[in-house]
Amino acid sequence: MPTTQHQHIATVMHVANDGAGALAAAAHEQVIRDSWHRCVHEHRLDPTRMQEAVILPQARLREHQDQMEALLQIARHGLEALYSKVAGLGYVVLLTDARGVTVDFLGDLVFEPSLRKAGLYLGADWSEQHAGTCGVGTCISTGEALTVHLDDHFDATHIPLTCTTAPVYDSAGELSAVLDISQLSSSQPKSSQHLALQLVKMTAHDIEHAAFLHRHRHDWILRLSAAPQFLDVQPEYLLALDAHGRVVGHNRRAQQAFAGPPQERPHPLGGPGEARVGGHALQGRAVHAPPLVGRSFEALFELPFSQIGRFVLTQPSDQRAVMLAGGRQLLFLSAVPPPPRPVAAAQRERAVPAPLAALSAGDAALDRQVERVARLVNTPISLLITGETGSGKEFFAKAVHSSSERRARPFVAVNCAAIPEHLIESELFGHLPGSFSGASPKGKRGLIAEADGGTLFLDEIGDMPLALQARLLRVLSEREVLPVGATRPVPVNIRVIAATHAPLESLVLAGRFRDDLYYRLKGAHIQLPPLRERSDLGAMITRLLGGRSLTSTALQRLLSHPWPGNLRELRNVLDYAGSLCADGAIDLDDLPELQAGRLEVRAAEVAPDDGPEALLQALRAAHWNVSAVARQMGLSRMTLYRRMKRGGIVAPNRQDDIDSRRAH
């Protein structure tokens, strides 16, 4: 064990034995020493026992993610914005739930093995009870933003890390998540993390604000600020009231400022991270006051609720002053009334749009995905749809488009694998007349611009050339496209849905797909189940029969088939059988010959990162029939040839031609 770890363990033991005031730990902040003491005496952790981070299995992680799915969707934009500011400095961004389990992650996947080992990864459990003193766990225990830097950590395993965190509270004042930015190592003192701490606190506040407005979109929203200039831009306090003027929600700052009777309330100007009573600053949880929820408008302000209409956006903000109850302070108030809400609105909000509902005939796993995406149809969040070849990714994307308010605008599907590499830039982005050799003299608008106002579906996104990924990233972040040969970008309003059957994370690790584009596309991930795993196979067969019928023997044959080609194969089989059957009744003899089992070498599962050997094996198994292998992989022949070229694979007949030319 290195000397630094020995010394660290000895220091923690001093605190465990002598209390948080131990002189040996005087270099560490009180909040750190308190946490060390808590780890030993409350959590029963042993500082001499070093443990690597605990990563939850995928099934348990999904349970944690499902329980806070609404907040994950809201927070995603904030996480991406924060990551764009700190990624170049070697930080990763984590969001955990209130139990300390990492439910979202943004980081450079090139360092995935190191990040996973250190626990800076999806599914990592950073609760103080398991990991000891750490950014996330100690933030949960104290309810405060803080930095746990290097040997602040309880477990000596985590000494290289620096972790800066801020809590995210819900509108009832309960901690709902923790936002964290961390580095694998740092050679700088703890003071170097001050700017990081401010960035994390600001982003956590923005996430709280967005979640509050979403949660209380049907209530009165009160914005309050000590400065009228910031009232409509960045209010300090948020309150939500019901129709009777009682508080039903608030942000964290309002809780600290308004909870309790007037004489016990902290001063509103005590700052976002502290409360003040009797002129003394009190840290977050030091004020144990009655809850704010349920209190009346009149208990908080020297004004009857009946006069709230005066503060709706009809006059300048500096003329919207209101006195707090007890005459303690003058604040400025902006009130937004709840929108009109028809009686059946709640039922409509819960309904799944018909195009999405038609995708499933009762499969539970697919139903969950459909219900989830139904809440996202009109959000700007990008969707990434993954699944085996033929599992219905484009049908799913079209259903999302048809279920949204963009349905009257274009749905433009682009197969990134089918467009020749030298043409894909001009096809996607368009070009000006004569901008390159062979360019149309009239120019071309480009497929991205064609989708303006609607949905751009990027199929086989993993095959997009690396050089163009940066340009696509700009389209997604700036919402503008620069045609080839142009100097001024053109604004576009598009919803982007991407799809692939290839493992994008593996492509990122191989350096063939940009990690920032990967995270931008993966705003929400939809995993489509293969047909052989769906419980609604029988019902899907009935749907696709188109009025025809099946004999029991034919049905049993279809139900027993593994369907390696998924829905695409099922449609083709039923169309073929329907053309041969007599009187609209499909019998066993009408069915085409079905592969009894899955291919011994499944070309459809040869991914780009499997290396040239796997592709070579698939080609040999198909007797070098490139078209057949391309069909099995769900790729164009052009893409397959590109992969063969990258892997140095040459068909035997072409090798003979090459050798012949060399001989001459």
Side-chain angles (χ1 to χ4, degrees):
M1 183 185 297
T3 304
T4 53
Q5 292 181 337
H6 272 300
Q7 293 171 341
H8 173 70
I9 291 171
T11 304
V12 175
M13 291 299 293
H14 277 295
V15 171
N17 296 328
D18 303 338
L23 292 177
H28 297 273
E29 296 170 332
Q30 183 71 41
V31 67
I32 300 299
R33 287 178 274 139
D34 287 342
S35 175
W36 287 355
H37 194 268
R38 195 163 51 242
C39 288
V40 173
H41 295 286
E42 294 183 24
H43 307 323
R44 302 298 179 185
L45 298 179
D46 181 355
T48 66
R49 186 184 177 195
M50 297 169 58
Q51 299 184 88
E52 290 188 353
V54 175
I55 305 289
L56 270 60
Q58 186 65 34
R60 287 191 58 198
L61 168 61
R62 186 71 246 178
E63 292 174 4
H64 284 261
Q65 291 173 323
D66 287 345
Q67 290 170 10
M68 56 181 301
E69 185 174 15
L71 181 60
L72 278 173
Q73 294 166 8
I74 292 168
R76 184 69 189 199
H77 177 75
L79 268 62
E80 290 176 351
L82 178 59
Y83 184 63
S84 68
K85 295 181 177 71
V86 302
L89 302 174
Y91 286 98
V92 298
V93 175
L94 308 176
L95 186 75
T96 79
D97 62 13
R99 288 174 282 181
V101 174
T102 306
V103 291
D104 206 350
F105 157 87
L106 295 175
D108 190 341
L109 289 182
V110 171
F111 302 107
E112 182 196 25
S114 299
L115 294 172
R116 182 185 286 273
K117 184 176 181 180
L120 304 182
Y121 204 73
L122 274 176
D125 185 345
W126 282 108
S127 61
E128 199 177 66
Q129 293 91 326
H130 292 114
T133 305
C134 58
V136 170
T138 307
C139 178
I140 293 173
S141 294
T142 63
E144 295 299 324
L146 77 161
T147 295
V148 176
H149 189 68
L150 306 182
D151 61 355
D152 283 342
H153 288 89
F154 178 85
D155 192 319
T157 307
H158 307 315
I159 285 178
L161 306 179
T162 180
C163 308
T164 297
T165 58
V168 177
Y169 287 91
D170 65 19
S171 64
E174 297 294 328
L175 189 142
S176 58
V178 173
L179 180 63
D180 172 294
I181 63 172
S182 295
Q183 289 175 307
L184 282 169
S185 63
S186 174
S187 60
Q188 302 299 314
K190 188 171 184 174
S191 58
S192 66
Q193 303 302 312
H194 179 72
L195 181 57
L197 181 61
Q198 302 312 310
L199 283 173
V200 172
K201 288 166 68 174
M202 288 170 58
T203 304
H205 175 67
D206 290 344
I207 293 171
E208 281 184 2
H209 192 144
F212 175 91
L213 294 179
H214 176 77
R215 170 68 179 82
H216 296 288
R217 61 193 182 277
H218 301 304
D219 300 315
W220 277 92
I221 300 294
L222 307 189
R223 295 177 169 88
L224 294 120
S225 177
Q229 298 87 348
F230 287 86
L231 178 59
D232 298 320
V233 180
Q234 197 174 21
E236 292 102 314
Y237 315 113
L238 295 174
L239 295 174
L241 307 181
D242 64 15
H244 305 290
R246 293 200 168 271
V247 176
V248 291
H250 51 76
N251 69 348
R252 174 66 167 167
R253 295 178 182 180
Q255 180 183 28
Q256 294 175 324
F258 299 111
Q263 66 272 19
E264 295 179 10
R265 282 190 217 137
H267 195 283
L269 300 184
E274 66 183 26
R276 292 184 179 271
V277 175
H280 300 285
L282 297 176
Q283 294 302 314
R285 294 194 172 183
V287 178
H288 300 287
L292 185 54
V293 171
R295 304 191 69 194
S296 67
F297 181 84
E298 290 81 2
L300 301 176
F301 305 101
E302 292 190 344
L303 188 77
F305 181 63
S306 59
Q307 295 186 28
I308 191 68
R310 287 171 41 196
F311 299 90
V312 177
L313 299 175
T314 55
Q315 53 186 336
S317 56
D318 59 0
Q319 296 180 25
R320 285 181 261 153
V322 61
M323 185 67 71
L324 297 186
R328 296 166 42 255
Q329 179 66 33
L330 196 69
L331 293 178
F332 295 88
L333 169 64
S334 171
V336 179
R341 184 171 168 83
V343 175
Q347 287 79 356
R348 283 203 303 273
E349 282 184 2
R350 288 192 294 269
V352 174
L356 282 169
L359 296 172
S360 173
D363 178 71
L366 185 57
D367 284 344
R368 284 194 297 272
Q369 298 284 36
V370 167
E371 290 168 6
R372 178 169 163 242
V373 84
R375 300 193 291 271
L376 301 174
V377 291
N378 289 313
T379 69
I381 295 173
S382 298
L383 302 180
L384 177 63
I385 306 173
T386 58
E388 292 181 5
T389 298
S391 56
K393 296 184 286 293
E394 184 169 349
F395 278 94
F396 199 100
K398 285 181 178 177
V400 173
H401 174 77
S402 299
S403 301
S404 75
E405 294 302 318
R406 295 178 181 269
R407 55 184 170 271
R409 306 295 295 173
F411 176 89
V412 177
V414 180
N415 189 325
C416 300
I419 304 175
E421 192 164 350
H422 67 283
L423 292 179
I424 191 169
E425 182 177 27
S426 60
E427 287 290 319
L428 275 178
F429 299 95
H431 63 82
L432 297 186
S435 54
F436 58 90
S437 177
S440 167
K442 296 182 180 180
K444 186 169 184 176
R445 194 174 180 210
L447 294 171
I448 293 175
E450 291 288 345
D452 189 30
T455 299
L456 178 68
F457 176 61
L458 299 172
D459 199 7
E460 298 304 342
I461 187 65
D463 283 280
M464 175 168 284
L466 194 61
L468 292 187
Q469 292 175 22
R471 294 200 61 187
L472 177 60
L473 182 65
R474 179 178 176 179
V475 172
L476 297 178
S477 58
E478 305 295 333
R479 298 293 165 177
E480 58 186 26
V481 61
L482 185 68
V484 176
T487 56
R488 298 181 63 181
V490 178
V492 288
N493 168 27
I494 55 174
R495 169 72 175 280
V496 176
I497 302 177
T500 182
H501 74 276
L504 285 188
E505 287 190 8
S506 299
L507 295 182
V508 171
L509 292 173
R512 291 169 54 190
F513 201 86
R514 294 179 61 108
D515 61 341
D516 45 7
L517 178 59
Y518 169 72
Y519 289 123
R520 179 70 70 169
L521 292 171
K522 193 184 175 184
H525 179 203
I526 306 299
Q527 174 70 46
L528 298 184
L531 188 57
R532 63 184 173 277
E533 295 179 6
R534 289 176 55 168
S535 61
D536 61 348
L537 173 57
M540 289 303 298
I541 291 172
T542 302
R543 278 190 185 182
L544 295 175
L545 279 172
R548 298 182 290 263
S549 62
L550 273 172
T551 64
S552 58
T553 53
L555 177 60
Q556 287 305 312
R557 180 71 184 90
L558 295 178
L559 291 175
S560 63
H561 184 56
W563 300 109
N566 293 293
L567 286 168
R568 184 182 298 141
E569 183 186 5
L570 175 60
R571 287 191 186 91
N572 291 341
V573 166
L574 292 178
D575 287 345
Y576 175 90
S579 300
L580 296 182
C581 70
D583 301 324
I586 297 174
D587 204 348
L588 188 62
D589 293 338
D590 299 318
L591 298 177
E593 183 178 348
L594 299 176
Q595 184 72 35
R598 308 185 77 185
L599 293 177
E600 188 173 330
V601 178
R602 289 201 60 212
E605 291 182 351
V606 179
D609 59 302
D610 287 339
E613 278 302 317
L615 180 56
L616 181 60
Q617 188 180 6
L619 287 163
R620 285 173 175 166
H623 305 290
W624 293 94
N625 186 332
V626 174
S627 297
V629 174
R631 280 196 302 272
Q632 291 165 358
M633 294 177 69
L635 302 175
S636 67
R637 284 188 306 164
M638 200 168 306
T639 298
L640 191 59
Y641 278 126
R642 285 205 297 265
R643 294 185 181 179
M644 291 170 63
K645 183 179 179 181
R646 285 199 295 261
I649 299 173
V650 180
N653 59 334
R654 295 197 64 196
Q655 186 63 54
D656 292 342
D657 293 342
I658 293 171
D659 293 341
S660 176
R661 285 196 298 270
R662 285 175 178 169
H664 288 84

